[in-house]
Amino acid sequence: MQSDGCPAGEYMKSGTCTTCAAGSITDTGTSDGATTCTACVAGKFSTSSNVASCTDCNAGSVTDTLTNPGGQSCTACNAGDYSPSSQTPCANCPAGEFSTSPGSTLCNKCP
């Protein structure tokens, strides 16, 4: 049992320092002494809990949880796919349109 608080990335749970799960951060960010973990809001992600805040997942990429909180990763859509927001699944460009690079937020009309 810790008496002086938990190290960064951990929080006090039933008298024991416990690591927050990926996809969440502590209430103290990069400082010691956290008492709770909070899941990253939809559209944001965290790979570890000892960071100051959750990271934005940009449009053209999606979190592993889409519209749910607790994202642990952010992945760019493949070339030929697009996503207007990090909470919208990657989709194929419609017929007559294309995208040539990963992470596209829209598709271009074919010439």
Side-chain angles (χ1 to χ4, degrees):
M1 180 171 165
Q2 299 254 334
S3 59
D4 56 348
C6 298
E10 296 183 0
Y11 71 107
M12 188 65 68
K13 180 179 178 182
S14 302
T16 303
C17 290
T18 304
T19 302
C20 292
S24 63
I25 57 171
T26 64
D27 59 332
T28 58
T30 58
S31 300
D32 297 347
T35 56
T36 61
C37 286
T38 303
C40 297
V41 297
K44 296 186 178 225
F45 72 103
S46 174
T47 57
S48 70
S49 59
N50 63 343
V51 294
S53 62
C54 296
T55 303
D56 287 326
C57 184
N58 295 325
S61 301
V62 294
T63 63
D64 56 319
T65 58
L66 291 176
T67 59
N68 295 312
Q72 299 177 22
S73 65
C74 178
T75 305
C77 297
N78 294 323
D81 292 342
Y82 75 105
S83 175
S85 85
S86 61
Q87 298 175 50
T88 304
C90 296
N92 291 326
C93 289
E97 297 184 15
F98 71 100
S99 73
T100 57
S101 59
S104 293
T105 59
L106 53 88
C107 298
N108 300 304
K109 298 274 185 204
C110 291

